[in-house]
Amino acid sequence: MASAPENAKPLFYKDIVPLNKDQHGQLHARPTDKAPWLANQHAVPLTVEEFPAAQRHYPIIFSAGGPETVPLGLMGMNEGVNVFVEADGSIKENAYVPAYARRYPFMLAKLHADAKELSLCFDPSSDLIGEFEGGNALFEDGEPSETLKSTLKFCEQFEIAGNKTAAFIAELEKHELLTDGEITVQLEGMDEPFTYRGFRVVNEGKLRDLRGDILRGWNQNGMLPLIYAHLFSLQLVREIFGRQGQLGQMPEPAGNA
């Protein structure tokens, strides 16, 4: 899930700068329990390691139409709507925040297309990092501080989880299990239903028809429980939709997600 700075910027990042002690030796990182960058984002990338926690809070779907398929947590049913995050970034009801959002404003990225290694980078536009008093220093006596070491470790673990996620997706696609999804929600008192499209889900029929040896292997390596976490999570669509209604952020009838 790493991205090169020279390419289109990843979600949330306005700029990406490689971190180094010569230029950034005086920077501090300010801890926060809010995520304002997440407030208006309805779909956030997930890794497979997050499925068990995320599926208790919101639907897990798979992206469609892009260069690569990515699992997404639906924190809202329409663009610009996140029913779990206040405008100031406060997280409601202890909802699960995806690791993709928690690593911001840091990330590991290739400095150029031919680079073999990833470098720790940050978004300089974030007010969480700067030459201000307070917070935690990123460097101490010219060496990475414990704060920076912890940040690097988190980003490294995220990349490892991203590789596992890519392998999971490749296995689903190998067996042609992903299919175009469509969800229709009809609430009491509504004249017309709301229909969501533009995403993919696991085809339960094809899953049931897989050979037994494949299913046994997936059960042993932990892949099958992850698939069912995705499928069970889809039942939360109606709940997320209802939350949007309570917030007065209902979409247009028959619109797409």
Side-chain angles (χ1 to χ4, degrees), residues 155-208:
C155 289
E156 289 174 338
Q157 292 173 336
F158 179 82
E159 291 302 321
I160 292 172
N163 291 334
K164 292 179 180 179
T165 302
F168 174 83
I169 296 294
E171 191 71 5
L172 292 180
E173 293 182 329
K174 173 183 176 182
H175 295 282
E176 300 180 342
L177 285 183
L178 292 178
T179 187
D180 291 339
E182 179 174 310
I183 298 175
T184 299
V185 182
Q186 178 82 55
L187 297 181
E188 184 177 352
M190 290 171 45
D191 295 329
E192 298 182 50
F194 292 80
T195 302
Y196 297 91
R197 303 184 185 91
F199 60 94
R200 296 201 289 172
V201 298
V202 169
N203 186 311
E204 293 187 68
K206 287 188 175 182
L207 179 63
R208 286 192 295 268

Side-chain angles (χ1 to χ4, degrees), residues 20 26-27 32 41 43 55 58 86 88 103 109-110 141 143 149 155 161 183 206 210-211 216-217 241:
N20 68 78
Q26 303 304 313
L27 292 183
T32 181
Q41 185 61 42
Q55 60 94 22
Y58 36 75
E86 302 281 5
D88 67 352
R103 68 175 179 165
K110 290 183 178 181
D141 298 324
E143 298 298 327
K149 290 178 182 178
C155 289
I183 298 175
K206 287 188 175 182
L210 279 180
R211 297 198 319 262
R216 282 194 298 274
F241 186 86

Side-chain angles (χ1 to χ4, degrees), residues 42-54:
H42 80 295
V44 183
L46 292 171
T47 67
V48 289
E49 292 185 350
E50 300 177 272
F51 280 22

Side-chain angles (χ1 to χ4, degrees), residues 53-126:
Q55 60 94 22
R56 298 195 297 268
H57 296 265
Y58 36 75
I60 300 170
I61 60 170
F62 298 92
S63 62
E68 61 180 18
T69 300
V70 178
L72 298 169
L74 284 183
M75 303 184 80
M77 295 304 299
N78 298 89
E79 290 187 9
V81 179
N82 189 320
V83 301
F84 295 98
V85 183
E86 302 281 5
D88 67 352
S90 299
I91 309 301
K92 300 179 183 178
E93 303 172 7
N94 297 315
Y96 180 78
V97 177
Y100 184 99
R102 282 184 278 127
R103 68 175 179 165
Y104 183 83
F106 295 96
M107 71 175 298
L108 286 175
K110 290 183 178 181
L111 299 185
H112 52 81
D114 297 329
K116 295 182 179 181
E117 296 183 355
L118 300 174
S119 299
L120 185 62
C121 303
F122 70 101
D123 183 350
S125 71
S126 171

